[in-house]
Amino acid sequence: SSPHLVQVRERIRINGQPISKDLFNKYFWLVYNRLEETKDPAHPSMPAYFRFLTIMAFHVFLQEKVDLAVVEVGIGGTYDCTNIIRAPVVCGVSSLGIDHTSILGDTMEKIAWQKGGIFKPGVPAFTVAQPERPLEVLRERAQEHKCPLYLCPELDDFEEGCRALELGLAGAHQRSNAALALQLARMWLQRRGCQGEAWGQRQGASPTTATEVSVGCLSCLGLGELKEVPPSTELLGRPVPLAPAFQLTDAMIQGLRDTEWLGRTQVLSHGPVTWYLDGAHTTSSIQACVRWFRQAALNQDKPHDGSEVRVLLFNATGDRDTAALLKLLVPCHFDYAVFCPNFTELSVANNADQQNFNVTVENALTRCLENQRTWTRLLEEKVGQDPWLPSPLRVGGLLQQAPARGSLLLVPPAPRPLNSPALVFPCLAQALRWVAQGRDPHLAAPAASGAHSHPAASSGAVLLREAAAVRVLVTGSLHLVGGALRLLDPALSQ
């Protein structure tokens, strides 16, 4: 799967765990040396980063003799290097979104065409509810590849005859992903002719989902057999057939309940500072992130003295429309918006796994400054649209005396002020330390006074130090979330 959050070894897992450093080192050099020895003299370059890791992953799975490989597509499907798998057991396509438009196309239909490239003749494929036209494209691609395509039922449909299903991941979109994961797992069981309970006890069940996956290399519980649908007739001009729900085993129910996915709707409570991490980076995923954040953070009981500060930590990469993403975040009424590159530290000496050599520091900081200007403009437009809102306060106006506590606190003149100063920091470590102001035990205190030239940085430090609760949403990039996790949860670097 890709990308990794903290360490590159996360991309290649066996039994749910990243391969060890020793195994990674062993197989990396085996693959590297073999490619070096056999490369074409006319084309002497090595495979690019993602292609190399894909080759290495296949080599690891073969050498370690795994029974089942779940392979997430890198980008798209049709031309992705993971698509070398010719006869997987089953394929899955989750909810489509607009992303990687320079490679996949700028419409949902073009993107659906690319995703449908993983379909294979005679290999069952599943998808979830999609907009009408992209679903038609997927159906046409299935017909083209002579692939039986089915829609997954909703996760709630699996509850008949059993207790309500709990999912360890927050958000309605994750319930859709879970339903897809169940269908992929069931198809594997069906192909192997395993009995559900025995399989669950032997292997354990912990479904994880990704955008497009192929389960292969190598069914059922005896309930609701899938009927083969001749793609040349049944799918032509007709809706995609709905796969039947089936009875879940205890292992499947437990797997859904115990599923964890770092960096997706993840909450870290570190004393008065609570970090909300979600790697959303498309319009649809940011919308889902906002719904989750409102549920998880904004509906929480307010501190008795009302001194709550909300902070947005944001970055976006690639060709994404950051203005569109930031506009969706404005209704959360953040008191501060902090922008920084995905670099964990200014020095890359101890940051090799998160170094992107395709992006210079200058380019990354320029992007952050553009995001800062966009955020300020969006706030000004919002005030113009809502006359009842106060004008953005100057930095000095942020601080009002709170006699009850004898300290400086943010006292909003309205339900939530749209007065968010926007700050840019050169790296994640500096940004997180400023937000935490020494109140998170995992982070060192910020540098001595004078380190922040922006006037809002010094005044905001008082607010952050005095607030009873600081709620921080980190979003816009999985790489940003990964860098934050590296600093907030040092155990992940071990």
Side-chain angles (χ1 to χ4, degrees), residues 38 42 62 77 79-80 102 117 126 157-158 169 223 233-234 242 275 297 363 400 424 460 489 492:
T38 58
L62 289 168
Y79 305 115
D80 191 86
S102 62
F126 294 90
D157 295 338
F158 291 92
L169 303 173
L223 297 170
T233 57
E234 294 294 329
L242 183 68
W275 305 90
N363 289 341
Q400 297 183 23
V424 172
D489 189 354
L492 294 174

Side-chain angles (χ1 to χ4, degrees), residues 6-7 9 21 354 485-487 489-494:
V6 178
Q7 299 194 70
R9 295 182 294 111
K21 291 181 180 180
Q354 291 171 316
L485 276 173
R486 180 175 182 269
L487 295 166
D489 189 354
L492 294 174
S493 298
Q494 302 306 313

Side-chain angles (χ1 to χ4, degrees), residues 168-234:
L169 303 173
H173 61 295
Q174 297 294 6
R175 294 184 69 82
S176 168
N177 286 337
L180 178 59
L182 287 172
Q183 292 289 355
L184 300 179
R186 173 181 177 270
M187 185 54 62
W188 162 252
L189 291 172
Q190 211 172 8
R191 183 65 60 89
R192 288 289 292 255
C194 297
Q195 292 301 313
E197 282 300 335
W199 178 86
Q201 293 167 2
R202 186 171 65 251
Q203 299 284 358
S206 180
T208 57
T209 55
T211 310
E212 305 80 46
V213 296
S214 297
V215 178
C217 95
L218 312 172
S219 339
C220 164
L221 313 177
L223 297 170
E225 288 284 340
L226 284 173
K227 296 179 180 179
E228 288 299 322
V229 180
S232 60
T233 57
E234 294 294 329

Side-chain angles (χ1 to χ4, degrees), residues 280-283 286-287 290 312-316 320-334 336-340 367-379 381-382 418 422 473 475-477 480:
H281 51 272
T282 65
T283 52
I286 287 286
Q287 287 170 334
V290 168
L312 170 66
L313 178 55
F314 180 91
N315 192 40
R320 296 179 177 90
D321 184 353
T322 52
L325 303 183
L326 288 170
K327 186 174 183 178
L328 296 171
L329 292 161
V330 168
C332 291
H333 299 287
F334 293 101
Y336 292 94
V338 176
F339 304 97
C340 70
R367 185 76 175 267
C368 292
L369 291 169
E370 291 172 354
N371 291 339
Q372 181 190 40
R373 288 191 290 269
T374 298
W375 182 257
T376 302
R377 175 177 55 79
L378 287 169
L379 293 180
E381 292 174 356
K382 181 68 175 176
L418 279 173
L473 175 62
T475 193
S477 165
L480 179 77

Side-chain angles (χ1 to χ4, degrees), residues 252-326:
M252 289 177 170
I253 294 170
Q254 179 184 347
L256 292 173
R257 183 176 62 245
D258 296 344
T259 296
E260 296 179 351
W261 201 354
L262 296 180
R264 279 79 166 181
T265 61
Q266 182 180 2
V267 180
L268 294 176
S269 296
H270 292 179
V273 185
T274 305
W275 305 90
Y276 301 84
L277 302 105
D278 191 80
H281 51 272
T282 65
T283 52
S284 57
S285 60
I286 287 286
Q287 287 170 334
C289 173
V290 168
R291 289 193 294 268
W292 162 72
F293 182 65
R294 283 178 161 171
Q295 181 85 25
L298 305 191
N299 290 340
Q300 297 295 312
D301 292 336
K302 300 297 182 290
H304 294 304
D305 61 6
S307 58
E308 174 185 290
V309 176
R310 302 174 191 166
V311 182
L312 170 66
L313 178 55
F314 180 91
N315 192 40
T317 60
D319 55 1
R320 296 179 177 90
D321 184 353
T322 52
L325 303 183
L326 288 170

Side-chain angles (χ1 to χ4, degrees), residues 7-19:
Q7 299 194 70
V8 68
R9 295 182 294 111
E10 299 167 24
R11 295 176 181 239
I12 306 174
R13 298 172 181 259
I14 296 179
N15 293 335
Q17 297 300 315
I19 61 174

Side-chain angles (χ1 to χ4, degrees), residues 50 52 126 135 148 240 298 312 317 335 349 414 417:
F50 184 83
F52 182 94
F126 294 90
L135 183 60
V240 175
L298 305 191
L312 170 66
T317 60
D335 300 300

Side-chain angles (χ1 to χ4, degrees), residues 16 26 31 52 57 90 104 113 120 128 143 169 172 192 208 218 227 234 243 256 305 385 409 437 443 453 462 468:
K26 169 187 171 182
V31 172
F52 182 94
V90 63
L104 305 181
W113 188 92
K120 302 293 185 294
V128 297
Q143 178 188 357
L169 303 173
R192 288 289 292 255
T208 57
L218 312 172
K227 296 179 180 179
E234 294 294 329
L256 292 173
D305 61 6
Q385 294 166 5
L409 294 173
Q437 288 296 315
L443 295 170
S453 58
V462 177

